[in-house]
Amino acid sequence: MTEAGRGERTGTDGGTHEHFAPERRSYRAHFALHLTVTEGLVTRHHVYEDSLSVARAWTE
């Protein structure tokens, strides 16, 4: 995982591994999280994820 920040904006990247219990399916996906923090409060929150991995888990 890496982190970067400048002024009010910061970001990190990472990964997740999720399981769908009823279907017994799982997937791994990468994500990037971008935040804007103003006066100590998160004022913007954007998550960019590998939605293709999620779609494939549901259709395979």
Side-chain angles (χ1 to χ4, degrees):
M1 185 179 299
T2 59
E3 296 179 28
R6 179 191 288 170
E8 294 183 331
R9 295 183 182 179
T10 188
T12 188
D13 68 332
T16 184
H17 185 197
E18 302 292 334
H19 297 275
F20 305 115
E23 294 83 8
R24 295 185 180 200
R25 297 179 185 171
S26 66
Y27 71 94
R28 292 181 188 272
H30 296 283
F31 66 84
L33 172 63
H34 295 185
L35 299 172
T36 301
V37 180
T38 306
E39 297 179 6
L41 299 174
V42 174
T43 56
R44 238 175 122 197
H45 176 270
H46 288 257
V47 177
Y48 303 91
E49 64 181 335
D50 180 4
S51 56
L52 182 58
S53 293
V54 178
R56 285 182 175 157
W58 281 101
T59 59
E60 292 180 352

